[in-house]
Amino acid sequence: MRISPFIDTEEQAALRATARAFLARHAPERDVRVWDEEGSYPEQLYREIAKLGWYDMAADADEPVEDVASLLVALCEEMGRASSDLVALLNLNFSGIRDLVRWGTPEQRQTYVTPVLSGDGRFSIAVSEPDVGSDAASVSTRAERVDGGWVLNGQKTYCEGAGLPGTVMELLVKVGDGDRKRDELAVFLVPADHPSVEIRRMPALGRNISGIYEVFLRDVHLPDSALLGRPGQGWQILKERLVLERIMISSGFLGSVGSVLDMTVTYANERAQFGRTISSYQGVTLPLAEMSVRWDAARCAVQRSAALFDAGHACEVESTMAKFLSGQIYAEASALAMQVQGAYGYVRDHTLPMHHSDGIIARVVAGPPGVQLNVVARSMGLRAG
């Protein structure tokens, strides 16, 4: 039994050690830098991840893994030390498997989950649209009932990993015109290589390993078996998914912060100016020390969210707080590291430029700060006028 959410169990510690050794071998810094610069997907890395059985933590509906969120915190933090983008891809697959286990039929699990577990398939999710971001219930992409199934039309944007080979997208679409928008949504499973689907990669500042895509759907005919859950359950599927997703990506951000702080401390201890190392100047050391304090506080918030999740308690607010803090600290730590390291941190001889670019989007992924603070405000009893 867990003693404290802030102390690793033996199982967590073992997973950390395994993940650290695995990533040192299969995702060394030089390789991650090349993947990011070239915008290339490390397919072999995720095949090896599948072989390790990490996805199995989500795959068994009959015997769910105990303390799964706390284990994922350990795993994603170690993976985030290499790249938060690698964590994003892990999360897409893990969350997709969980969605299929929770809402899918046995036939859907066989069709869509089995390839991911073998390393041949991938999941992506498509929610945002050109005119729809945080207000996900207002999507206009639509599914119309026809004989033998459904026809989808619309456009999605900012879909991570949607253009990777073997990807199946979970598309949030509108299926009705009732007064309550959230009751008129559904999720469809759409292979990215469907002949009526067009996918274009969007040039982006960061997230270059997973890639960000826009998706065009023109008379996409799908069978009834492509519907995940029932019509009208789309909002519930999305909402349930987001809690663990926030915990996973927040952990990845914290791992990236740890990596950024480590490289900056090393630089400060080695870089000499005016006859002494810059780590002897308070203008360098105090901001880094404050960042470390805030990093530790964010880690506590993430670990508390995981402990609540594993105990079966509602933790939407707590996971939102964790995401808010971790996204902020990643963006600010990478910016501080760029400032301390100066021109050295600006050239692409190591991974700091990647962290800086990915840190900027960390505030926005899984909800921007304003939306997250609104969730907290409502939990405090504050009401809109």
Side-chain angles (χ1 to χ4, degrees):
M1 179 176 291
R2 168 173 289 276
I3 299 172
S4 166
F6 309 111
I7 300 174
D8 275 359
T9 63
E10 290 185 8
E11 194 173 6
Q12 280 179 289
L15 181 56
R16 279 188 191 276
T18 299
R20 188 169 299 181
F22 171 82
L23 292 163
R25 184 167 66 255
H26 294 284
E29 182 176 316
R30 65 181 180 277
D31 289 355
V32 174
R33 186 172 68 246
V34 170
W35 298 336
D36 180 72
E37 290 176 359
E38 295 181 349
S40 57
Y41 170 67
E43 184 170 357
Q44 187 57 37
L45 172 67
Y46 286 91
R47 287 189 181 278
E48 295 296 328
I49 285 174
K51 290 180 184 178
L52 281 173
W54 288 345
Y55 295 139
D56 293 344
M57 288 191 285
D60 195 334
D62 298 323
E63 296 184 19
V65 174
E66 186 177 357
D67 293 339
V68 65
S70 298
L71 289 171
L72 287 170
V73 164
L75 173 58
C76 292
E77 188 171 337
E78 292 302 323
M79 201 166 190
R81 295 187 69 86
S83 165
S84 63
D85 203 1
L86 297 180
V87 177
L89 286 167
L90 180 78
N91 168 68
L92 286 171
N93 287 341
F94 195 92
S95 295
I97 293 169
R98 288 187 75 247
D99 288 346
L100 268 292
V101 168
R102 170 72 174 86
W103 299 95
T105 65
E107 293 75 20
Q108 286 175 327
R109 291 193 285 273
Q110 178 64 32
T111 300
Y112 300 111
V113 173
T114 300
V116 178
L117 296 179
S118 67
D120 295 324
R122 276 150 287 278
F123 281 113
S124 180
I125 187 165
V127 176
S128 297
E129 298 179 357
D131 296 322
V132 176
S134 299
D135 184 15
S138 295
V139 297
S140 60
T141 298
R142 193 173 187 91
E144 299 283 356
R145 173 76 79 173
V146 296
D147 289 342
W150 301 80
V151 174
L152 275 60
N153 281 283
Q155 180 181 352
K156 296 292 184 179
T157 56
Y158 313 121
C159 307
E160 280 192 87
L164 298 177
T167 294
V168 172
M169 299 177 290
E170 294 180 71
L171 265 77
L172 184 72
V173 304
K174 187 176 181 180
V175 291
D177 295 302
D179 293 334
R180 285 176 52 87
K181 295 184 293 185
R182 295 182 180 184
D183 294 338
E184 304 298 334
L185 301 174
V187 171
F188 282 85
L189 301 165
V190 183
D193 61 358
H194 190 288
S196 298
V197 173
E198 180 184 358
I199 296 182
R200 301 175 189 169
R201 183 155 183 165
M202 306 174 73
L205 180 64
R207 291 296 176 99
N208 295 315
I209 299 174
S210 59
I212 298 174
Y213 298 83
E214 54 186 341
V215 179
F216 300 87
L217 305 116
R218 300 183 179 93
D219 293 331
V220 179
H221 287 260
L222 297 172
D224 286 324
S225 59
L227 176 65
L228 183 61
R230 299 192 305 273
Q233 289 185 323
W235 184 259
Q236 189 176 355
I237 293 172
L238 181 65
K239 185 176 180 179
E240 288 188 9
R241 173 196 179 102
L242 276 174
V243 174
L244 189 58
E245 182 174 278
R246 291 192 192 104
I247 293 172
M248 290 183 68
I249 64 172
S250 296
S251 304
F253 293 157
L254 295 178
S256 295
V257 173
S259 183
V260 166
L261 290 179
D262 283 350
M263 70 174 70
T264 308
V265 168
T266 298
Y267 177 86
N269 284 332
E270 294 175 351
R271 175 69 166 169
Q273 289 289 282
F274 307 107
R276 53 180 177 161
T277 61
I278 65 172
S279 60
S280 63
Y281 295 101
Q282 288 189 340
V284 172
T285 60
L286 297 187
L288 287 172
E290 180 181 350
M291 198 64 67
S292 182
V293 171
R294 295 173 59 204
W295 175 48
D296 190 66
R299 291 187 80 222
C300 290
V302 171
Q303 290 167 335
R304 179 184 64 159
S305 299
L308 289 170
F309 184 95
D310 288 335
H313 298 304
C315 56
E316 179 185 7
V317 174
E318 290 79 7
S319 65
T320 298
M321 291 178 176
K323 165 55 190 49
F324 174 84
L325 289 171
S326 62
Q328 296 288 101
I329 197 70
Y330 185 22
E332 293 172 18
S334 56
L336 175 61
M338 292 285 284
Q339 180 180 332
V340 171
Q341 298 188 44
Y344 177 74
Y346 194 68
V347 297
R348 288 188 174 271
D349 283 340
H350 56 78
T351 55
L352 182 54
M354 176 195 73
H355 283 299
H356 185 51
S357 298
D358 287 344
I360 293 171
I361 198 63
R363 288 188 170 109
V364 178
V365 173
V371 171
Q372 293 158 355
L373 290 176
N374 275 334
V375 172
V376 177
R378 290 197 299 272
S379 75
M380 297 167 61
L382 294 168
R383 299 178 181 176

